[in-house]
Amino acid sequence: MPATPLGTLQPRSQVIDRAWRALGPGLEPLSGPGGAPLTRAVKLLVLPLVLRPVLRPELAGDLLTDEAADLAAGLLRGDGPRLAAAAGWFTLLKRVRRALRVVGGNPQDLYFQRCYELAAEHGAPRPPDAEEVARKVVLELAARDGGRTVEALKAHLRDPATERSVAQALSRAWGARPVPAAPGAVPEADALSLADTVLDGCAPADRGASGKRGAPGGAFPADGHVPRYREQECGTDLRDPGDTAESALAALVGGGHGTRLGSALWAAGPASAWGPEGVPPHLGLSADPPPPRPGVGSTASTATLPAPLDRTLYERVFTVLRAPGHHDLPPVPELVAAETARSCSPLGLSDESLRVALLVGGRLAAGLDPLGTAPGPTRAHRAIDRRWRRESSVARARRMTVSPFDAPSAHGTGGGAPGAGPPDGGAPGTGPAPTQPPAPTGPPASGEDLLTDLGRSLRTPWIAYTRRLWARLHGRDAHAAGIDGTAELWSLLDGVSYSVLMDHRARVRAALRTLTDTTSGSAA
């Protein structure tokens, strides 16, 4: 580990793991078979409720100093009794859930944080009052869903009459979609010029905007507001890039450029104007362009979801019902009707500001270059590239590109956007550029193969980034939440980049663990 003035740096995950195991028995419901905390226990309990890195910035990074590691271990040790009580409540809530035959939602997502609240209020569950408290909690959370569950979706579409009606509605909506008479460049040159203006004005200024290491979006206020930086502060002219970006974004939305892009993809035009050579017009959002007409469908799995524009109606509704905040959605019949129209809309989105966000995000993804050293074309590219190039995993991938078995592709900026596993459950590698070799169809055979695949993914800018971006835009569309201004757009684009980076980092760690286990096994 690298040394700091305060000593060595320790992975936060290891610090949490050691401190968790030291708490002793009683945490089994929140732990995996080996005794380590469940991933959701860390995400929903340890980080937000025990360590609270928002209030303790020294605990926010993936690497902790010795002093910060001692603080984290002490916080977990002090909260041990409450965590054990929360584990007891979780066991009780699951038992009551089964007795009440409640099946909607993931129990860990639904109950972990509520169990912590119950532990803080009541301590460990004690009969007979605990049974009644648990029953009220289970029924309250079940009523909160209001039938907005995957099980309700299955029941709704299982009815033959309903399925026929939905299939007919899909057919009508698909026949009414706007398809241009002739294919053309996708997207248009003027749309890309406006997108570049947006990307240059919505991101932080190059000088002093990189922020703290690993922090999303640089040094931004906690409320997510993005300050405007005048060009004179960067030593250029007196124009305010924020105002110019707002005007460009308004022009994109007002001109219907998102709709025009989505409609052009249906025309299956071979031309692409995204920038780097080999970037497909559909940016990997469809495996077999033009995107096919969506079917009704009857099953879905997060592990086997196809590319976004290739999904059935069932798969599209399935993803929004599995996302946080689904209890705010309309009832399932209304949701299915809305999704029927949305699935046949340009880019699979009904709001024009969200279509434009996908256009701008695609332009961003096509120009990212985490493996390179040259500055990107816009502030947004440079801000995200800086964060990626600081990653040790990216540096290793850059070294791996000289290997004869994984030579880099030679196109455009030479770049690739952050690569990661399926950002929204889709299969990795679906929809690669025609000039690139097909992605592996099976799991890598070793840690070295995993690292090689990760290095390759850093050179495919349109896959991981645009899929995750589409998934978030789809969720906003389902909640009728458009994009209001460049500050909100940048928060979204930068957040997607940071999320993909975290996934990439996790995959690198998994690959290194595989390498370590293989080496240890060989030595034994």
Side-chain angles (χ1 to χ4, degrees):
M1 288 292 173
T4 70
L6 297 176
T8 58
L9 293 176
Q10 305 179 46
R12 186 177 63 181
S13 59
Q14 292 184 12
V15 173
I16 293 173
D17 184 272
R18 288 196 303 267
W20 183 275
R21 294 173 187 270
L23 295 178
L27 298 177
E28 291 80 7
L30 309 180
S31 305
L38 293 169
T39 300
R40 282 188 173 92
V42 175
K43 179 180 178 180
L44 299 175
L45 294 176
V46 175
L47 291 179
L49 301 178
V50 181
L51 301 189
R52 305 182 74 184
V54 172
L55 301 179
R56 302 181 181 96
E58 65 272 27
L59 302 182
D62 288 312
L63 295 175
L64 304 181
T65 63
D66 291 341
E67 182 179 344
D70 290 342
L71 173 60
L75 290 170
L76 270 167
R77 187 167 51 249
D79 220 38
R82 182 174 296 176
L83 288 169
W89 279 106
F90 182 62
T91 299
L92 178 57
L93 286 177
K94 286 200 301 180
R95 186 170 71 245
V96 172
R97 170 189 170 94
R98 287 193 297 269
L100 295 174
R101 297 185 179 181
V102 174
V103 294
N106 184 293
Q108 295 176 3
D109 289 334
L110 291 172
Y111 302 147
F112 268 4
Q113 293 191 343
R114 181 58 66 89
C115 288
Y116 190 87
E117 296 174 4
L118 293 172
E121 183 178 356
H122 302 285
R126 295 181 178 84
D129 295 339
E131 293 278 348
E132 182 60 25
V133 171
R135 184 175 181 278
K136 289 180 179 178
V137 169
V138 170
L139 291 176
E140 172 195 341
L141 294 176
R144 189 180 174 192
D145 279 337
R148 299 166 181 85
T149 64
V150 173
E151 289 72 20
L153 174 64
K154 289 180 181 178
H156 179 65
L157 293 179
R158 192 181 295 132
D159 177 65
T162 301
E163 184 179 6
R164 284 195 301 271
S165 175
V166 171
Q168 292 169 358
L170 280 172
S171 181
R172 289 192 299 268
W174 187 256
R177 63 200 166 94
V179 181
V186 182
E188 303 157 336
D190 55 343
L192 291 180
S193 177
L194 289 168
D196 286 343
T197 301
V198 173
L199 292 171
D200 215 30
C202 70
D206 293 334
R207 179 177 298 176
S210 59
K212 183 175 61 179
R213 178 180 177 89
F220 288 172
D223 61 2
H225 173 68
V226 181
R228 293 179 176 175
Y229 298 84
R230 292 193 174 274
E231 293 287 343
Q232 59 186 353
E233 297 174 4
C234 302
T236 53
D237 55 43
L238 299 178
R239 292 174 300 171
D240 189 330
D243 290 340
T244 306
E246 293 287 358
S247 299
L249 181 61
L252 283 170
V253 175
H257 286 283
T259 297
R260 291 157 72 175
L261 170 61
S263 299
L265 293 183
W266 281 323
S272 174
W274 287 106
E277 178 186 350
V279 177
H282 53 87
L283 291 170
L285 296 175
S286 175
D288 299 308
R293 193 196 97 174
V296 178
S298 58
T299 60
S301 169
T302 54
T304 58
L305 281 174
L309 300 185
D310 300 340
R311 295 176 186 173
T312 64
L313 180 71
Y314 183 97
E315 288 169 330
R316 291 172 61 100
V317 179
F318 170 84
T319 58
V320 296
L321 288 176
R322 298 263 300 180
H326 65 276
H327 53 272
D328 295 328
L329 293 170
V332 164
E334 295 180 25
L335 189 60
V336 168
E339 199 63 44
T340 298
R342 186 180 299 117
S343 65
C344 298
S345 299
L347 299 178
L349 302 169
S350 57
D351 185 278
E352 181 62 21
S353 69
L354 301 178
R355 295 172 188 155
V356 166
L358 187 59
L359 188 158
V360 176
R363 180 63 165 175
L364 175 62
L368 290 172
D369 187 13
L371 296 181
T373 56
T378 70
R379 285 181 177 177
H381 289 93
R382 293 190 289 272
I384 293 176
D385 280 343
R386 274 196 303 268
R387 181 187 302 148
W388 273 85
R389 290 170 184 175
R390 289 195 297 261
E391 283 287 303
S392 58
S393 61
V394 174
R396 174 162 185 163
R398 187 184 295 115
R399 293 194 299 271
M400 292 171 63
T401 59
V402 302
S403 172
F405 60 80
D406 191 30
S409 59
H411 68 263
T413 61
D424 54 356
T430 304
T435 57
Q436 299 227 352
T441 56
S446 67
E448 284 290 354
D449 290 336
L450 283 168
L451 289 173
T452 300
D453 183 53
L454 287 166
R456 185 184 297 112
S457 70
L458 289 169
R459 297 188 299 276
T460 53
W462 47 87
I463 297 176
Y465 188 93
T466 51
R467 287 192 180 188
R468 176 150 304 178
L469 174 60
W470 186 91
R472 296 197 177 183
L473 293 173
H474 179 225
R476 294 178 71 101
D477 212 5
H479 288 270
I483 298 294
D484 184 18
T486 56
E488 190 171 358
L489 176 62
W490 172 248
S491 177
L492 174 69
L493 297 178
D494 191 47
V496 169
S497 169
Y498 188 71
S499 178
V500 173
L501 173 58
M502 293 299 100
D503 277 357
H504 182 84
R505 184 184 293 175
R507 293 179 68 206
V508 169
R509 288 173 176 165
L512 293 176
R513 281 197 298 270
T514 301
L515 281 172
T516 301
D517 294 342
T518 302
T519 304
S520 301
S522 300

